[in-house]
Amino acid sequence: MAGKDGVSLKSVSYGARLRRSCDASLREAGSMRDPFLKHRVKKFDLSSLDWIDEIPDCPVFSPSTQEFEDPLVYLSKIAPVAAKYGICKIISPVSASVPAGTVLMKELGGIKFTTRVQPLRLAEWTKDDKFAFFMSGRKYTFREFEKMANKEFVRRYSSAACLPSRYMEEEFWHEIAFGKMESVEYACDIDGSAFSSSSHDQLGRSKWNLKRFSRLPNSTLRLLRAAVPGITDPMLYIGMLFSMFAWHVEDHYLYSINYHHCGAPKTWYGIPGSAASDFEKVVREHVYDHEILSGEGESAAFDVLLGKTTIFPPNILLDHHVPVYRAIQKPGEFVVTFPRAYHSGFSHGFNCGEAVNFATGEWFPLGAVASQHYALLKRIPVLPYEELLCKEATFCANEFSLFEHGNVTLTGGTHIQSYMKGPFVQLMRFQHRVRWLLVKMGARTCYKADIDATVLCGICKRDCYVAHIMCNCRADAICLCHEEEISKCSCNCDRVVFVRKDIFELEEISKKFEEIGILDEVGKQMSQNDGYNMHPYLSNGIDHNAKYFPYCKILIDTSPELRTFSEVDVLGYDLNKPYPTLSTITSAHGPHEYSTQSDECTSSKQRTYSSSCPENGTLSVYPLCTSDQAFSTDKLAAQDTDDSDCEVFRVKRRSSIVMEKRCSEDLTITLTENQVLLLL
């Protein structure tokens, strides 16, 4: 059935087509469960909704026009209070003079977007009943979607006015559990911004314009060499009645900031970052069935939560004493989530929001924890954490040096920078000690080649910014965290540790941070270990009479012969550049197995390469490409190829890249997409 404006409402033919596509996909997956069918889920008791009144509100801040001048300074000011709640709301003292609809329809030429279909039900979270948003909706302009969403609202409530938020919260959870609505549409992860470029728009001119937020002077993400969609560049989220975003934490535990441009309010639920482990424990033990978890450890639930499709009511968290806070976001208001703060929510009607990530120096300790989780799960990171840490440390050291000479005023707070210095010193000390042990075992050290790419560890996918190892046993590089694997390798003298050309400068910065006195406790904790007890696998292979000293000189072998044995011959990953999706790239230089012409432990023996494939035929890589090429390809994949009614949701910020097993001179790499929706 179509309205007068030509935008069809949810017709019988559309629903039937959707269901046929769904049934076909379910048959292929070996399951016939109807993804729209509501049924009682015993673990989620929604017979009473009195628990809604038990959720306290998050803090709300109303900055003055003067306080509003610098976002990161203001956020740093309120963080000691706001971070305890995981989320907070900031009411902007400045209004946008150009409406979001005008920006999207006129300034951006009436862009069209494809919606996603969200079943309105609860799932058992078993092998046969997981919640998934996997079907493509229809294409709309902003105005078309607005008309459709408003008609759906009026049809249900016989009113176009916003209804009380407490009533809408009850309506949402009652509909999820017992209602007759099968699904809603949600336009999420749309590239673009609804902030106006007009010089007359006061909010658009301000630093709170999300198009420039992540690149502000004190934002760590300014150090990325290229934009990352959804991380450094904002995305739009256009919802309707009961559109929802699932429980999730931001990639790499980053901060997020969401601005509500227009429309009906949103209800947010937030968990403090300090309670993230308790949240994951409740999800692991009381939401997910054991059979869908990938392991037994604490990261098991985190792995499933990364799919960002987990919907469940907050009362189960309250029952297990996990703190939950609520925000009701209205037009003109920002919601900020703090590092490692899980959050979810839903819309009260048609609305348009916009979000982006950012990071300050305070993020680095939690960024290290996130990187460890990614490594344990062997997931390709979205950001090169080690690179950002080293670049921020270098910037801080240079700024401090200029400050000492009276040439510059410090831009960042000393207490904020201290959060970065601790992880940096730990990284440099750890890497130096492992490199020293490897040299004592017979390895050589060489400078990295000048390639504009991030090398990822072949085992855990960490970014190897400072150093990585290559030897005859593996076709790819590995990081310095895999001591057990290294100890089992018999290469010894045929092993090469590649380090950055500025390695000595980085170590000098680390020493300077310790001398300043801020990191005395960090240095004390690390120096209490003699170096052998911390690295038992590697220590067994060296002379224990050798005495280790932090930052002692490790000789670099600059022999030209070693240039043939470098990471140039392994495809690099570039986490600082966007990458094309759904494409195939052929490279003449793939991973190789290495063989030496001599068994003697001499650095002068040149290696030859055989062009055979890795034994398992799989290697995760990011191809190198220009930003323009990547953007255009990604946009095509996002907008021009998702007309299929049974399309699986794509993840914009992360992709899995599989190497086809081919025994030929060239290696073909096929990029495939994760089949999970990324909801913000």
Side-chain angles (χ1 to χ4, degrees):
M1 191 168 70
K4 293 179 181 178
D5 55 6
V7 179
S8 60
L9 302 179
K10 185 170 286 185
S11 62
V12 176
S13 61
Y14 171 74
R17 183 160 54 92
L18 204 59
R19 189 174 294 278
R20 283 197 301 271
S21 300
C22 174
D23 289 345
S25 63
L26 289 172
R27 282 195 296 271
E28 290 177 4
S31 172
M32 286 300 293
R33 182 179 290 276
D34 188 333
F36 298 109
L37 183 64
K38 288 184 173 73
H39 60 280
R40 185 185 176 193
V41 181
K42 293 182 180 179
K43 65 180 76 173
F44 306 130
D45 182 11
L46 291 177
S47 57
S48 170
L49 296 176
D50 292 342
W51 53 267
I52 290 176
D53 295 320
E54 298 176 24
I55 301 177
D57 292 335
C58 73
V60 179
F61 300 93
S62 300
S64 65
T65 305
Q66 184 177 0
E67 290 176 316
F68 199 70
E69 285 293 321
D70 192 320
L72 297 184
V73 169
Y74 182 73
L75 289 171
S76 176
K77 177 182 176 181
I78 67 174
V81 173
K84 296 176 183 177
Y85 298 83
I87 62 172
C88 73
K89 189 167 74 169
I90 299 173
I91 300 174
S92 173
V94 175
S95 300
S97 57
V98 181
T102 302
V103 175
L104 296 177
M105 294 302 294
K106 294 184 178 179
E107 290 188 20
L108 299 184
I111 60 171
K112 283 203 167 190
F113 49 83
T114 302
T115 61
R116 314 298 181 179
V117 177
Q118 299 179 320
L120 279 176
R121 70 176 184 93
L122 294 171
E124 295 280 0
W125 285 104
T126 62
K127 188 176 181 180
D128 296 326
D129 185 24
K130 303 179 199 175
F131 194 82
F133 312 138
F134 58 91
M135 281 157 292
S136 173
R138 295 164 285 184
K139 285 191 174 181
Y140 297 89
T141 64
F142 180 80
R143 292 302 182 202
E144 288 170 346
F145 187 85
E146 180 182 20
K147 290 176 182 178
M148 180 278 295
N150 286 337
K151 284 183 179 180
E152 292 288 326
F153 187 93
V154 171
R155 185 163 65 179
R156 180 182 177 99
Y157 294 111
S158 301
S159 170
C162 289
L163 301 175
S165 59
R166 175 63 170 77
Y167 173 75
M168 295 305 296
E169 195 168 0
E170 282 190 355
E171 281 282 282
F172 175 75
W173 291 112
H174 184 272
E175 187 62 50
I176 283 281
F178 312 110
K180 296 181 179 180
M181 285 180 67
E182 287 188 344
S183 63
V184 294
E185 293 184 69
Y186 187 34
C188 57
D189 291 340
I190 304 171
D191 290 314
S193 173
F195 282 93
S196 176
S197 300
S198 170
S199 59
H200 302 293
D201 190 293
Q202 193 174 0
L203 186 61
R205 293 198 318 265
S206 77
K207 293 180 180 179
W208 292 78
N209 183 333
L210 299 193
K211 287 188 286 188
R212 59 178 70 105
F213 201 92
S214 67
R215 300 286 184 175
L216 291 173
N218 287 334
S219 172
T220 295
L221 300 187
R222 78 193 185 284
L223 300 172
L224 290 172
R225 286 173 281 159
V228 182
I231 301 288
T232 60
D233 289 350
M235 286 183 170
L236 293 166
Y237 299 85
I238 305 174
M240 62 181 292
L241 178 67
F242 300 152
S243 294
M244 55 192 143
F245 48 103
W247 287 106
H248 70 286
V249 70
E250 296 302 310
D251 293 318
H252 288 267
Y253 297 161
L254 292 165
Y255 293 81
S256 75
I257 181 167
N258 183 297
Y259 181 70
H260 199 331
H261 283 286
C262 61
K266 287 182 185 177
T267 291
W268 291 66
Y269 302 111
I271 313 296
S274 58
S277 295
D278 295 332
F279 173 89
E280 291 169 3
K281 181 180 180 181
V282 170
V283 174
R284 184 172 67 248
E285 296 179 355
H286 301 285
V287 176
Y288 295 151
D289 214 54
H290 184 267
E291 62 185 355
I292 72 170
L293 298 176
S294 57
E296 300 289 340
E298 293 183 0
S299 295
F302 177 74
D303 192 23
V304 183
L305 283 163
L306 281 176
K308 303 188 180 183
T309 59
T310 301
I311 300 289
F312 61 86
N315 62 330
I316 195 170
L317 299 171
L318 298 173
D319 291 343
H320 293 88
H321 311 293
V322 176
V324 185
Y325 298 95
R326 179 197 295 109
I328 306 298
Q329 185 188 23
K330 300 174 183 177
E333 297 177 346
F334 292 91
V335 166
V336 174
T337 70
F338 289 82
R340 212 184 175 187
Y342 280 93
H343 50 282
S344 69
F346 63 91
S347 294
H348 298 191
F350 168 77
N351 55 34
C352 175
E354 181 174 336
V356 76
N357 291 114
F358 67 97
T360 65
E362 295 164 301
W363 162 77
F364 279 107
L366 282 173
V369 175
S371 292
Q372 177 67 11
H373 278 166
Y374 279 80
L376 289 172
L377 297 170
K378 297 179 172 58
R379 282 184 173 265
I380 294 176
V382 181
L383 299 175
Y385 171 80
E386 193 173 301
E387 179 177 346
L388 289 176
L389 179 61
C390 292
K391 286 184 173 180
E392 190 70 270
T394 302
F395 177 83
C396 176
N398 292 339
E399 187 181 47
F400 188 80
S401 178
L402 291 171
F403 172 74
E404 285 182 320
H405 292 87
N407 296 330
V408 71
T409 301
L410 293 177
T411 58
T414 304
H415 73 287
I416 294 178
Q417 292 179 348
S418 67
Y419 287 98
M420 170 273 297
K421 293 175 181 177
F424 177 72
V425 169
Q426 290 178 2
L427 171 69
M428 297 309 298
R429 283 221 174 198
F430 168 79
Q431 294 236 352
H432 185 275
R433 183 176 282 131
V434 174
R435 288 190 288 113
W436 181 82
L437 288 168
L438 290 171
V439 169
K440 292 300 178 184
M441 292 172 64
R444 291 166 290 168
T445 303
C446 178
Y447 285 124
K448 287 188 175 195
D450 294 322
I451 57 173
D452 187 23
T454 302
V455 176
L456 295 192
C457 173
I459 297 176
C460 68
K461 312 306 179 191
R462 294 177 197 266
D463 68 299
C464 305
Y465 183 73
V466 177
H468 66 267
I469 305 167
M470 293 183 68
C471 68
N472 291 325
C473 295
R474 298 187 60 88
D476 48 13
I478 64 171
C479 69
L480 276 60
C481 297
H482 302 288
E483 297 179 28
E484 184 175 3
E485 289 83 353
I486 295 169
S487 67
K488 294 176 181 178
C489 166
S490 60
C491 291
N492 293 334
C493 298
D494 288 333
R495 184 185 294 127
V496 179
V497 182
F498 288 94
V499 298
R500 289 188 54 79
K501 290 183 178 178
D502 60 352
I503 184 65
F504 296 126
E505 288 84 350
L506 291 173
E507 289 174 352
E508 284 299 318
I509 292 171
S510 184
K511 285 194 289 184
K512 181 183 294 186
F513 286 170
E514 294 185 49
E515 291 167 1
I516 290 173
I518 298 176
L519 303 177
D520 280 346
E521 189 59 33
V522 173
K524 188 185 300 181
Q525 289 174 0
M526 301 194 72
S527 62
Q528 285 172 353
N529 298 280
D530 60 9
Y532 300 114
N533 294 331
M534 287 184 66
H535 309 280
Y537 292 107
L538 299 186
S539 300
N540 291 333
I542 72 167
D543 180 3
H544 280 241
N545 292 321
K547 183 66 175 176
Y548 172 76
F549 297 97
Y551 306 116
C552 60
K553 201 77 169 180
I554 298 176
L555 295 178
I556 309 293
D557 191 338
T558 56
S559 302
E561 290 85 356
L562 280 175
R563 303 309 299 167
T564 61
F565 181 56
S566 77
E567 73 279 15
V568 170
D569 297 283
V570 175
L571 283 175
Y573 303 69
D574 198 345
L575 299 181
N576 286 287
K577 291 183 179 179
Y579 45 86
T581 57
L582 294 176
S583 63
T584 299
I585 298 174
T586 301
S587 172
H589 295 283
H592 301 281
E593 292 180 355
Y594 303 104
S595 61
T596 181
Q597 295 178 348
S598 171
D599 293 329
E600 297 177 4
C601 295
T602 61
S603 61
S604 62
K605 297 298 180 182
Q606 186 173 349
R607 297 163 189 272
T608 59
Y609 311 118
S610 61
S611 195
S612 55
C613 301
E615 194 171 317
N616 61 6
T618 301
L619 177 70
S620 297
V621 300
Y622 279 134
L624 302 181
C625 59
T626 67
S627 300
D628 291 341
Q629 290 171 329
F631 175 78
S632 60
T633 311
D634 187 58
K635 198 163 187 178
L636 282 172
Q639 297 180 6
D640 295 340
T641 64
D642 60 357
D643 291 328
S644 168
D645 290 325
C646 122
E647 177 201 6
V648 180
F649 270 178
R650 65 192 177 89
V651 177
K652 287 189 62 82
R653 302 172 189 169
R654 186 184 294 112
S655 94
S656 172
I657 303 157
V658 179
M659 175 173 290
E660 298 176 357
K661 190 170 185 179
R662 282 183 54 191
C663 292
S664 63
E665 289 186 3
D666 290 349
L667 297 174
T668 301
I669 301 129
T670 303
L671 289 74
T672 63
E673 299 170 344
N674 284 338
Q675 297 182 340
V676 181
L677 167 65
L678 180 68
L679 281 179
L680 188 65

